[in-house]
Amino acid sequence: MRVVTIVGARPQFIKAAPVSIALALSHHNEIVVHTGQHYDPSMSDVFFDELCIPTPKYNLGVGSGGHAFQTGNILIGLEEVLIKEKPDIVLLYGDTNSTVAGALAAVKLHIPVVHIEGGVRSYDMCVPEEVNRVLTDRVSHIIFVPTKSAAGNLKNEGYELILNNGDIVDIENLIYSKDDIKQGFGIVCNIGDVMYDAALMFSEIAKEKSGILEELNLKSKQYVLATIHRPQNTDDAKVLLEIINGLDKISEKTTVVFPMHPRVQKAINQYFGTDFLNTIKRNIIIINPVSYFDMLILEKNAGVIITDSGGVQHEAAFYKIPCVTVLDKTPWIESVENGWNRLCGTSCEEIYNSYVIAKNSNPIWKGLSCYGYGDAAKRFVKVVERIMNIAVKKEN
Ligand code: UD1
Ligand code: UDP
């Protein structure tokens, strides 16, 4: 099977890693297209180097810009690549501008669109990712959902071809084929969460390779890990300042480690000036974005995680680290429902109070079965082979 994989942003590189391995083990031919949405070495190259993702055959070099600029230029670049490469499927991840552009480019060329991490919803169309999610799912032929709740979201939207009722797919009993795919309502299939695969796959090697705790002189459970990057938290100076003040207040009690997304670095420079971070009084270690291995180690050893990242909320749950999410809504409801994640909005007081509650919380551990069995990537390959009825061609 000839697969064109489209990635462009940090979390997509991580999600693609276990899937690329599974495709290679089954002798499929994967052609990776990097849209260039993320391009700093610490936001891109580091993941290709560390996670052995195939080197992109194409880099569209789209770079940063507004939504229309980014989506439009990726769309134009991809059309040319897809016409040339003639893949059996186009594989997309998550909810970025790279994802929605990939979906549009492929569907208009009548190439089957396969979406990993579909069905996720925050029910807030002011969030750009929500627009990308809804549109991508709508034109996808197979939608791989990470959880049963994501399958439920699609059921509510009128999708009918839901394998195994939204529970993890039973590969031996696939009841749909590509002939069942109807315009605009793809087959929905729960394989579990590929981020869980990645976390399991790379945990041991991260322990071996990462020296981040020593480098930053950190002791396990004696620091808070913070990441922020959502537009609603960074594009408004007042909101951003509240969040930074919240972290500053927490740092009166404990060290805060803050790997800073470039979006935040730029916003701080723009709103408050380049000297602003030097004026933060307390114990906040601000560093550049870190590699996945370093991030896993920082997460696993944190006392509490404070974030607005989708992926980091999951990972907090995987590692049983209490998490505070600096948002009013999250599409990742499992971790909130099972007590490990609390939503706190963006006020300094609420962030601090939620941190105190999270630090002292002792939620009942309900396991991780809601994220599957850590074999989502293998299931993905088997399901696509069966549904698309594409014979495995051994590449020389
Ligand atoms: C994007 C995704 C978001 C995802 C996030 C993961 C969209 C709409 N958003 O948000 O869903 O959660 O990636 O991190 O697709 N920048 C750099 N260097 C880089 C990349 C970005 O300096 O390598 C700066 C630029 O100033 C850019 C800003 O960060 O304008 C935002 O980057 P962009 O890719 O537009 O959005 P993210 O906030 O990263
Ligand atoms: N991550 C990383 N280094 C960092 C911050 C995050 O490797 O400095 C990883 C994190 O472990 C998770 C993914 O990036 O796997 C989440 O990406 P991000 O927060 O950028 O986007 P989101 O998940 O919100 O879309």
Side-chain angles (χ1 to χ4, degrees), residues 297-312:
I297 296 301
L298 284 173
E299 288 173 337
K300 271 189 165 180
N301 288 285
V304 171
I305 292 177
I306 299 185
T307 192
D308 61 9
S309 155
V312 175

Side-chain angles (χ1 to χ4, degrees), residues 218-239:
L218 296 169
K219 295 218 164 37
S220 189
K221 304 297 163 194
Q222 293 183 23
Y223 64 90
V224 163
L225 175 66
T227 79
I228 299 294
H229 75 277
R230 301 250 84 92
Q232 64 266 46
N233 286 346
T234 54
D235 289 359
D236 180 325
K238 251 172 86 181
V239 174

Side-chain angles (χ1 to χ4, degrees), residues 244-311:
I244 292 173
N245 285 338
L247 298 178
D248 202 21
K249 190 164 160 118
I250 292 168
S251 77
E252 284 176 35
K253 305 279 180 218
T254 187
T255 303
V256 175
V257 181
F258 189 1
M260 201 175 265
H261 190 290
R263 181 180 200 113
V264 182
Q265 293 182 356
K266 290 191 177 155
I268 288 177
N269 291 346
Q270 186 191 334
Y271 301 139
F272 315 124
T274 45
D275 261 356
F276 172 79
L277 290 176
N278 300 330
T279 66
I280 291 189
K281 304 171 286 292
R282 302 192 180 91
N283 195 7
I284 305 187
I285 304 175
I286 294 171
I287 50 177
N288 284 328
V290 295
S291 76
Y292 184 59
F293 291 170
D294 284 347
M295 190 64 181
L296 290 192
I297 296 301
L298 284 173
E299 288 173 337
K300 271 189 165 180
N301 288 285
V304 171
I305 292 177
I306 299 185
T307 192
D308 61 9
S309 155

